[in-house]
Amino acid sequence: MYVVCSKHLEEAIDEFIEVYEQPPDLYELETITFTEWTAPTCCHFCDMNPKYLIV
Ligand SMILES: [Zn+2]
């Protein structure tokens, strides 16, 4: 699972496919709500606010 900014979206998808050998599901963080999970405050690759969740 990756939480990334829009700049690192493609990089995260590539890495996901490499690790899990299947295409990820992609969600916009703004459009989903979590009950028991709080989204990380920064991108997996940099310090920007994350925009997408890749699972
Ligand atoms: Zn980033």
Side-chain angles (χ1 to χ4, degrees):
M1 180 173 82
Y2 297 96
V3 175
V4 294
C5 67
S6 49
K7 193 175 143 192
H8 288 110
L9 180 60
E10 281 185 33
E11 198 171 332
I13 291 173
D14 286 348
E15 193 170 312
F16 188 101
I17 291 170
E18 223 168 83
V19 173
Y20 298 102
E21 295 178 346
Q22 59 183 337
D25 287 325
L26 185 62
Y27 302 94
E28 277 192 54
L29 285 175
E30 286 175 355
T31 65
I32 50 177
T33 53
F34 302 100
T35 49
E36 294 182 11
W37 183 73
T38 306
T41 52
C42 65
C43 168
H44 180 76
F45 298 98
C46 71
D47 293 330
M48 300 270 287
N49 280 343
K51 192 167 181 354
Y52 298 100
L53 172 68
I54 295 170
V55 288

